[in-house]
């Protein structure tokens, strides 16, 4: 029965059949296959969690996010009315070659992997990993796009702007400070959304104010609504730069919808608010890089955290496709 044996291409088989690249997209882990793919967007895994300050496990995030979907083949975005993968060439570029217990090397190989993807003209969409990976990832994107300036929209319960955590510069609590201090992204174009709870402290917020950072707390979102706040965040991030790196710490979501993360903080966004915000941002700006971080599968329940992270990526792809198909 050769006809029914070959009835479906591998990419069109159900998501649970075969190798779990992101959405069963072409697997292009080396430079040659990535170059040949002429991808406009490339998924990159950053399976590293040695920057975590509390519950670990985000090193298993990239694989979990890749697997967390029941879809394969073509995808039609209902909100944006676009056949996403017919418009956009997307591949999975595999993981940065991280090994355990070598944190400096891990950050270097993540930076190099993202640099290679961005240099080939693809938008890197990086799956974390803990939030420390945003330092090498956004630095690589900023470097590749010079002399253009890149702004940052950063979703998180936490500002991640500590000078150090227990003496560690490479902590997941410090990447945003390093990006600003090393000049990869200007403080005044660094915009944070979703802050709440009890960390960081007043001195760190003073430093943020001095750098011109702008931040929007959950309390502000409760008062003004997410859509108005996101519109401000876009304007602030683009006040100078003409391109955006979008960083999503999944703990910006309420732990009731994203329990599988290292430092859950009650009182966060609902999934539908975050997915709408991703469409709103990516639809309106020139996206040059993105990450979704802090998914820790060992703490997840019913894969719900990995699934919403997967959909953050799909919403971004759909918004890119909708933009590309606009007359
Ligand atoms: Mn974070
Ligand atoms: Mn966080």
């Amino acid at each position: 029965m050769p006809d029914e044996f070959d009835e479906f291409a591998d990419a069109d088989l159900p998501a649970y059949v075969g190798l779990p690249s992101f959405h069963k997209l072409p697997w292009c882990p080396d430079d040659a296959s990535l170059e040949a793919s002429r991808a406009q967007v490339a998924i990159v895994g950053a399976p590293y969690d040695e920057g975590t300050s509390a519950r670990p496990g985000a090193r298993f995030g990239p694989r979990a996010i890749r697997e967390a979907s029941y879809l394969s083949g073509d995808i039609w975005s209902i909100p944006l009315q676009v056949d996403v993968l017919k418009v956009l060439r997307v591949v999975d570029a595999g993981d940065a070659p991280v090994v355990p217990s070598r944190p400096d090397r891990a950050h270097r190989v993540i930076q190099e992997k993202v640099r290679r993807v961005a240099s080939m003209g693809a938008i890197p969409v990086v799956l974390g990993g803990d939030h420390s990976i945003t330092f090498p990832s956004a630095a690589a994107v900023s470097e590749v796009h010079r002399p253009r300036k890149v702004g940052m929209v950063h979703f998180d319960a936490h500002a991640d702007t500590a000078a150090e955590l227990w003496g560690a510069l490479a902590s997941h609590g410090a990447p945003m400070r390093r990006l600003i201090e090393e000049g990869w992204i200007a403080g005044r174009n660094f915009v944070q959304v979703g802050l709440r709870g009890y960390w960081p402290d007043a001195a760190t917020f003073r430093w943020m104010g001095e750098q011109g950072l702008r931040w929007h707390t959950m309390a502000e979102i409760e008062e003004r609504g997410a859509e108005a706040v996101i519109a401000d965040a876009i304007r602030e991030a683009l006040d100078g730069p003409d391109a955006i790196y979008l960083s999503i710490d999944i703990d910006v979501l309420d732990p009731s919808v994203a329990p599988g993360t290292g430092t859950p903080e009650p009182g966060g966004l609902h999934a539908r608010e975050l997915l709408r915000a991703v469409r709103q941002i990516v639809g309106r700006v020139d996206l040059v890089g993105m990450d979704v971080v802090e998914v820790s599968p060992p703490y997840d329940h019913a894969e719900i955290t990995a699934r919403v992270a997967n959909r953050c990526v799909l919403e971004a792809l759909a918004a890119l496709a909708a933009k590309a198909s606009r007359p």
Side-chain angles (χ1 to χ4, degrees), residues 218-231 269 273:
M218 273 310 301
E220 183 188 346
I221 293 171
E222 287 155 21
E223 285 153 22
R224 300 179 55 215
E227 182 125 3
V229 170
I230 298 301
L269 291 176
E273 289 174 310

Side-chain angles (χ1 to χ4, degrees), residues 28-304:
C28 303
D30 53 78
D31 294 349
S33 57
L34 182 63
E35 185 108 58
S37 74
R38 294 167 47 247
Q40 294 161 293
V41 182
I43 309 295
V44 173
Y48 173 77
D49 65 6
E50 291 169 57
T52 46
S53 55
R55 309 195 302 195
R59 70 180 62 182
F60 305 115
R63 190 161 289 181
I65 296 167
R66 284 184 172 109
E67 281 191 63
S69 183
Y70 55 85
L71 298 170
S72 57
D74 290 340
I75 36 174
W76 172 252
S77 163
I78 292 174
L80 296 177
Q81 298 281 293
V82 63
D83 214 330
V84 178
L85 299 174
K86 287 212 167 94
V87 176
L88 212 59
R89 278 189 308 279
V90 190
V91 302
D92 190 326
D95 290 342
V98 168
V99 297
S101 302
R102 294 177 67 182
D104 294 334
R105 178 187 178 276
H107 278 185
R108 283 195 298 271
V109 298
I110 291 166
Q111 188 158 350
E112 177 61 19
K113 180 77 180 178
V114 174
R115 184 189 295 121
R116 290 181 186 199
V117 167
S119 304
M120 286 182 200
I123 300 170
V125 175
V126 183
L127 312 177
D130 72 52
H131 220 156
S132 74
I133 67 98
T134 297
F135 171 64
S137 176
V141 168
S142 175
E143 184 191 343
V144 167
H145 288 276
R146 276 179 175 166
R148 291 178 76 191
K149 291 194 175 71
V150 176
M152 168 74 80
V153 179
H154 165 207
F155 285 88
D156 207 323
H158 315 93
D160 294 355
T161 45
E164 46 83 22
L165 234 67
W166 294 293
L169 285 175
S171 164
H172 73 157
M176 309 316 172
R177 185 132 169 174
R178 298 184 78 198
L179 283 169
I180 293 163
E181 285 187 337
E182 292 192 11
W184 299 111
I185 294 171
R188 65 189 306 273
N189 299 118
F190 213 108
V191 186
Q192 305 186 310
V193 181
L195 305 189
R196 62 188 186 272
Y198 307 91
W199 189 91
D201 60 6
T204 306
F205 275 100
R206 264 197 308 281
W207 177 86
M208 288 159 58
E210 286 158 16
Q211 303 301 312
L213 260 89
R214 286 169 272 197
W215 60 88
H216 300 277
T217 63
M218 273 310 301
E220 183 188 346
I221 293 171
E222 287 155 21
E223 285 153 22
R224 300 179 55 215
E227 182 125 3
V229 170
I230 298 301
D232 284 356
I234 292 170
R235 193 171 38 71
E236 291 158 355
L238 290 178
D239 178 13
D242 60 0
I244 291 290
Y245 185 102
L246 173 61
S247 184
I248 300 175
D249 183 330
I250 209 69
D251 73 26
V252 75
L253 292 171
D254 193 79
S256 60
V257 289
T261 193
T263 48
E265 186 62 50
L269 291 176
H270 199 283
R272 68 185 180 212
E273 289 174 310
L274 180 60
L275 297 176
R276 186 180 179 94
V278 171
R279 295 197 299 274
Q280 186 180 351
I281 292 165
V282 177
R284 211 169 297 170
V285 307
D286 185 2
L287 184 80
V288 287
M290 170 174 171
D291 61 53
V292 184
V293 302
E294 297 286 352
V295 172
S296 177
Y299 291 97
D300 209 357
H301 299 278
E303 303 171 350
I304 60 175

